[in-house]
Amino acid sequence: MAITPLLLVYFSALLCTEAKYIAYNTSQWIVPGKINVHLVAHTHDDVGWLKTVDQYFVGSNNSIQGASVENVLDSVVSALLADKNRKFIYVEQAFFQRWWRKQSDAVQNIVKKLVDSGQFEFINGGMCMHDEAAPHYIDMIDQTTLGHRFIKQEFGKTPRIGWQIDPFGHSAAQAYLLGAEVGFDSLYFGRIDYQDRVKRKDEKSLEVVWRGSKTFGSSAQIFTSIFPEGYGPPDGFSFEVNDDSQIVQDNNLLFDYNVQERVNDFVAAALSQANITRTNHVMWTMGTDFMYQYANSWFRQMDKLIHYVNLDGRVNALYSTPSIYTDAKYATNESWPLKTDDFFPYADNPNAYWTGYFTSRAAIKGYVRMMSAYCLVARQLEFLKWTNSSGPKTDTLADALAIAQHHDAVSGTEKQHVADDYAKRLSIGYAEAAELVESTLACLTEKTPNIGCDKPLTKFEQCPLLNISYCPPSEVDLSHGKSLVVIVYNSLGWNREDIVRIPVISESVIVRDSIGRQVESQLLPLANASVGIRNFYVKAHLGASPSATPKYWLAFPATVPPLGFSTYIISTAEGAGSSSTVSKTHTTQGSENGTIEVGQGNLQLTYAVDGGKLTHYLNKRSLVNTFLEQSFSFYPGDDGSGSDSQASGAYIFRPNGTFPINPGVQVPLTVLSGPILDEVHQRISPWIYQITRVYKGKEHAEFEFTVGPIPIDDGIGKEIITQITTTMMTNKTFYTDSNGRDFIKRIRDYRSDWDLQVNQPVAGNYYPINLGVYVEDNQTEFSVLVDRSVGGSSILDGQIELMLHRRLLHDDSRGVGEPLNETVCVVDECEGLTVQGKFYLRIDPLGEGAKWRRTVGQEIYSPLLLAFTQQDGDNWTSSHVTNFSAMEPSYSLPDNVAMLTLQELENGSTLLRLAHLYEMGEDKDLSVMTYVDLQKLFPGKKIIKVTEMNLSANQERSEMERKRLVWKVEEPHKEETNMRGGPVDPSKLVVELGPMEIRTFVIIFDRNSFVKTVNR
């Protein structure tokens, strides 16, 4: 192409002009009277999702996702040093701690200065950004505490902002417990229902004051800000390398100069957001998943935008953080809309309710819950051992559990190899904690332990695979004078009576307590279905088949003191009539009619023989006498092949019809009866087996289900439910727990914040359940408790529905990129995952159900721990301590109090958390102020100092209360006065607890008095 003389002159002029350095003014602060655009630089770093936590940190396995958190933190530190006005926030301590430990002293000192100056700020501060549907509140507290205490120790800082930007719905417990009670001044997140978002934008109510607790009301409220669209920047303002947003090209010697264009874009986006936001402050979240791997690509553009937008003058732009933004909002003295209850369920379009993940990966959910309870026990025993030895600790398990609370971990929304990684970490943590548990129990059972108990003589074993009927320590030959010693440990703060069940190989066994009295016991034949599960999954877990198969379950009652253990001795029975009672077995035949009644205590269940179904419930004590039916069904997962391409997947529950699961023939009932309990065995289908247990001494029924492998030969994914039906008139109303804490009222096809357009009548009425669900009418309460997180609802009046397992064949297009199709392989044999779990059922007169839900809910969360050893002869009881309680004899915690944490801290002090279990007005007797005597809780141990802390134990409670921001609401709500306990008098050492109150203390003991107590 020919070049004209005029163009030659123009280019020559350009070549003779030198580009000049531009000093960008990024020092701007808040300007009154203008719209202030707070640019918050952040990265959202999933602690596992498409890659494992370690792969994300180092940046490996990039064929899946190009992400390296190590690069992010390296790059951000360098970028912040280049300009003192730049700011950055960071959340996930699981990543930061990995990075921090690798840094030199020089780099650590630089980062500490950045933190002190406010350039680098820790937000949220937990090990991960936990999910809000599937975790138990104890796990949420623990993972937050782990992160917060690290930040306090290393930097002397206390995070003050909640940043839950990505979880798929938001819980009331998060707002008041993991928000206000932690000491946060505000909470920020990105996901709410698409219908709710439209209304809030229109009403300028994306920012609210959230009161998540009916009991605490305004005393535990928190300012809450919902982002207008997700948690990334406005369209056109994402500046990661290779992003397609236009940069600010301000070199007028080059083509594509666009400063005014970009300023106009910025102002337009700012005004648009200001139109849906109250006050003159708006926040832009400048970042998203794993951004800032080359931080200068972001900061360079933000420098320019701040400089040129402020020269333009129509709006004010500044580097900011959520803390600065919160203080700016507070300074306006605005009154805010009031929000109560929670933000579940969440949908992002009419056929996309994120309610499937409430049940996704049910086995992982069960494993996390089991390890949560085990960590609580192990920490108690670690405290009781009280040693600085280099032996096994609970730290590895605590770290694994913390990571598992991530919103793509326990939620079940991660890739399969990542789920395997979470399970592996939990298993490694368990192995170390188990060593600690076993050595401590050995120490506590020795009458004359060595100093420090570093080398106890007894070797205990446990049974982590007891759920699949595998327990080598109990499956032993007890002939030739051997006995099996069973230590039964109770982590609860009150005396406990429960049934111990272990597999044994012989029917000629007898159980005695610690003083030699025979304990009534029962043998129940091991079902063929249990044997099949045992053989397959033991080989999958251990790589080898079990050497022998036990014949029976041995069941016997155990009475265990609070925070202590009892001992039971199992040996070969001598002489006729002295051994355990073998259950009577009756299996119905196809020609039989009539009914079968099971239950020898107050509770009695009736089954119809011809249909093989539960039909009736009777409690002889409470006189509750009612129809009760249970059934199984499945929802075919929508494959997205219709007019709407949304499929059912790991996140999304989109059912395509409902189909009852019927065996096609009459279901025979096998009934086992004995002095301890009755069992009803049902083969519901070739892949569903259920055992219903009614214990003589209990007034609830226990349902153990085994579901899987879910068949997919027909090309259809399936979501398996059980429905329990009564004739109660419940008026569309039911109640579900919030992370195992408060119960929240639900109304079918209704939302309190907007007029719901019902598009998915099943999925849109599902809620997360961690503790339980109940319905009530004017006479009775019908409650179901669960052993892990599940999804559930009351789709019909008088009915409770639980989703037990899911297996799906299509991805739901929410990023995970694979269907929820879990399989297990042994050598070359692969099959779909089988899930085994339990739920518990009871019907009470109206107003009497809370006591059962709260008490038994604690027992489900904290099962008795069993440890085994063998002895020759009959001298264990004379040579060992057989009964132990860490509390003063005859003392136990009140019925409405639980001990959530008893943990030895790294500096030798002790962390104690006590929780009131009842809401205000929940129970006429137990929703009252209650008291715990610390001197009786820790007898013989001299308490030097007790300091009350905030929930995450990183600042004193008084300091948190002093700093708390008090937000105004538009329409002041009339509230009942909430009860909270007063300060602890150091001369009396009695802790007061009001309804729903959790109090956290750091206690310093006289270590010498403690050692004397341990070593007796």
Side-chain angles (χ1 to χ4, degrees), residues 171-177 180 187 208-224 336-343 742 744 966-976:
S171 72
Q174 175 65 39
Y176 86 88
L177 199 58
L187 171 64
V208 298
V209 169
W210 189 1
R211 293 179 184 168
S213 168
K214 299 186 296 292
T215 297
F216 293 133
S218 60
S219 72
Q221 69 186 20
I222 190 166
F223 175 77
T224 302
W336 303 95
L338 181 65
K339 165 67 181 172
T340 58
D341 55 64
D342 63 9
F343 288 91
D742 310 65
I744 297 180
V966 180
W967 298 85
K968 295 165 63 176
V969 297
E970 284 182 334
E971 299 176 6
H973 230 55
K974 185 177 181 182
E975 298 182 273
E976 293 185 28

Side-chain angles (χ1 to χ4, degrees), residues 606-852:
T606 302
Y607 289 79
V609 174
D610 56 354
K613 280 193 172 184
L614 175 65
T615 61
H616 208 81
Y617 177 104
L618 170 65
N619 186 313
K620 299 172 187 175
R621 180 194 58 81
S622 66
L623 303 181
V624 171
N625 188 358
T626 184
F627 169 84
L628 183 69
E629 182 178 83
Q630 185 202 11
S631 61
F632 287 84
S633 298
F634 73 86
Y635 294 112
D638 198 298
D639 61 6
S641 61
S643 57
D644 186 331
S645 61
Q646 180 61 62
S648 203
Y651 301 90
I652 307 298
F653 173 31
R654 189 185 180 194
N656 187 13
T658 313
F659 293 86
I661 298 173
N662 293 319
V665 296
Q666 182 168 321
V667 179
L669 301 175
T670 298
V671 180
L672 308 179
S673 302
I676 308 297
L677 75 154
D678 292 352
E679 287 188 347
V680 179
H681 291 238
Q682 297 169 279
R683 170 62 73 183
I684 307 299
S685 80
W687 45 278
I688 299 179
Y689 194 84
Q690 180 172 273
I691 304 173
T692 304
R693 299 187 180 98
V694 181
Y695 296 93
K696 184 177 180 180
K698 298 179 183 290
E699 296 188 11
H700 65 261
E702 174 185 299
F703 293 77
E704 181 179 282
F705 60 87
T706 302
V707 178
I710 299 173
I712 55 172
D713 297 344
D714 54 4
I716 298 173
K718 299 172 181 67
E719 323 206 28
I720 313 307
I721 61 167
T722 188
Q723 295 164 321
I724 309 159
T725 305
T726 70
T727 56
M728 296 169 64
M729 303 299 293
T730 53
N731 194 29
K732 296 186 175 183
T733 303
F734 57 106
Y735 300 82
T736 65
D737 68 275
S738 179
N739 302 110
R741 198 71 181 135
D742 310 65
F743 277 91
I744 297 180
K745 182 178 181 178
R746 314 295 191 184
I747 301 175
R748 197 162 59 248
D749 295 334
Y750 173 80
R751 304 289 188 270
S752 59
D753 293 332
W754 77 93
D755 294 329
L756 177 67
Q757 180 181 344
V758 179
N759 300 295
Q760 288 287 325
V762 176
N765 286 300
Y766 255 59
Y767 291 88
I769 300 169
N770 277 279
L771 168 61
V773 53
Y774 71 94
V775 295
E776 61 184 24
D777 61 11
N778 58 5
Q779 293 184 313
T780 53
E781 296 178 43
F782 165 36
S783 308
V784 174
L785 301 181
V786 297
D787 68 345
R788 70 197 68 193
S789 169
V790 300
S793 187
S794 178
I795 302 300
L796 299 174
D797 275 7
Q799 183 185 85
I800 287 176
E801 174 175 314
L802 302 177
M803 184 180 289
L804 306 178
H805 192 10
R806 316 176 75 216
R807 188 181 186 188
L808 298 161
L809 303 181
H810 298 273
D811 178 54
D812 54 15
S813 302
R814 292 305 182 278
V816 74
E818 65 182 35
L820 183 66
N821 183 11
E822 298 173 279
T823 58
V824 177
C825 297
V826 175
V827 191
D828 295 326
E829 179 187 354
C830 296
E831 62 178 38
L833 179 69
T834 295
V835 168
Q836 188 177 82
K838 294 178 182 178
F839 60 89
Y840 307 79
L841 177 155
R842 175 160 157 157
I843 305 176
D844 286 287
L846 184 64
E848 297 182 16
K851 188 175 296 185
W852 178 73

Side-chain angles (χ1 to χ4, degrees), residues 430-463:
Y430 167 81
E432 183 178 351
E435 288 186 50
L436 168 71
V437 167
E438 290 158 8
S439 64
T440 304
L441 288 175
C443 168
L444 294 173
T445 56
E446 290 185 8
K447 283 196 171 180
T448 55
N450 59 81
I451 299 300
C453 257
D454 290 330
K455 297 179 180 179
L457 301 177
T458 305
K459 174 62 178 174
F460 281 105
E461 295 181 83
Q462 298 172 78
C463 295

